Amino acid sequence: MIIDSHQHFVRLAKHPEVEGFRQAQLAGKNLDVPKISDADVTKSLEQVVSLMDSRKIDVAFASPRAKAMATHEGTPEQNAIWADLNNGLIIRACQLTPSRFAPVGMLGQHPSCPSEQVAKQIERWTKEGFIAFNFDPDGTGGRWQNQPFTGKHNYPVFEVAQALDVPLVLHGSESINKNFPHTAVQYLVADITGFVQLMMAKDLFRDFPRLRFLIPHGGGALPCQIGRWRAIAKYNSWASPDEILGNGNVFVDTCVYNDLNMQMLFDAVPLESILFGSECDGAFPGVVNDETHDHYDNTRRYVDDSKLNAADKARIYAANARRVYPRASRWIQA
Ligand SMILES: [Zn+2]
């Protein structure tokens, strides 16, 4: 079995009525939440299902379009409605395509939104069947004006995530700063920042020993900068990257787009902490890698081409994802 742990339903998020609702909402207009037909939801998935079939990906964990989460905009009330609209679409898409997807939610985060409210959203949508949630370590649109996300202000979120056994995916969103395009910089800054904050958070895993985080995009700069982080961890008496990657709390995915960096990822990170991910048809749809003459985001190719043995590949392709996302079982055919 092959599980893609990192997908977004980008085409669904780009439905004109969905985008139109958010624009109107932010402009202060009181529109009803749009009702997208089953036919439109299913049609938005055609391309991604076809790519999954051609790449022999059985199941994907899918969340709303990351850029469009953008909860630095709007009020906490507007963002709660926006998150509910997106989560409602995600779960319907998963239900309309049985055994192919499992839902990962977004949260109505905002600098002024009490984390108790965010925790309630996790409770509500986990009951509906969600298996994990994107959690933006910034949440201020690239301004980074918030306190480090590991602080006690977010403990209500961590308490409920641990109690319900749902991992938090530290995924960035839109950037207001033109120097930091979202897919090229802001997401990776969120990965790097999230990972380093976890190294710095001395009490977090003592207080929440079963809390789990997924750092997407191969952990940001992790494959090539782990040496730097090992050094600074010793210098500052932080947890070392090896410690937090080896203790069952922190995981990364394989969303890196060439053989060299994939191999560096496998060398840097314990294999039980790596989950297959590809962002299939999300980040750079249809863009071809001149080295492979295949799509860059066909990350299966880089895993298949690696020197890992079959048992290790099987762990990365499915076993780790099933262990880290235990609630996915109900969405996956035995
Ligand atoms: Zn993503």
Side-chain angles (χ1 to χ4, degrees), residues 39-208:
D40 277 9
V41 172
T42 308
K43 190 165 174 34
S44 77
L45 305 178
E46 277 174 1
Q47 176 79 6
V48 73
V49 170
S50 144
L51 276 171
M52 285 166 66
D53 288 343
S54 69
R55 296 174 188 179
K56 301 208 167 17
I57 294 170
D58 299 286
V59 180
F61 300 165
S63 67
R65 186 185 185 199
K67 175 186 191 289
M69 297 192 301
T71 53
H72 60 284
E73 299 184 299
T75 64
E77 293 73 28
Q78 286 173 326
N79 289 332
I81 294 167
W82 178 234
D84 286 348
L85 165 58
N86 277 287
N87 290 343
L89 285 170
I90 294 291
I91 201 159
R92 263 179 67 214
C94 294
Q95 288 159 345
L96 286 166
T97 323
S99 309
R100 301 309 304 270
F101 298 104
V104 174
M106 68 166 280
L107 300 166
Q109 289 177 262
H110 182 277
S112 69
C113 181
S115 61
E116 288 81 4
Q117 205 169 305
V118 176
K120 280 204 179 81
Q121 275 189 319
I122 294 179
E123 275 178 340
R124 181 207 159 170
W125 286 105
T126 303
K127 268 190 211 139
E128 299 277 339
F130 276 68
I131 65 165
F133 294 87
N134 289 342
F135 190 81
D136 186 349
D138 172 22
T140 69
R143 299 177 182 87
W144 293 95
Q145 291 163 319
N146 51 339
Q147 291 299 310
F149 82 95
T150 49
K152 292 220 164 28
H153 60 291
N154 276 324
Y155 270 30
V157 170
F158 302 151
E159 271 163 24
V160 77
Q162 175 173 274
L164 296 175
D165 217 6
V166 285
L168 298 172
V169 181
L170 293 182
H171 205 305
S173 183
E174 175 64 302
S175 161
I176 55 134
N177 189 328
K178 288 192 175 12
N179 293 293
F180 302 149
H182 60 283
T183 41
V185 183
Q186 172 68 4
Y187 292 178
L188 300 184
V189 170
D191 303 334
I192 294 166
T193 307
F195 188 79
V196 171
Q197 285 181 10
L198 290 171
M199 288 167 55
M200 295 165 67
K202 288 194 190 319
D203 297 331
L204 186 63
F205 295 123
R206 274 201 290 268
D207 293 343
F208 299 101

Side-chain angles (χ1 to χ4, degrees), residues 6 8 66 171 187 217 279:
H6 185 165
H8 304 278
H171 205 305
Y187 292 178
H217 319 109
E279 303 172 274

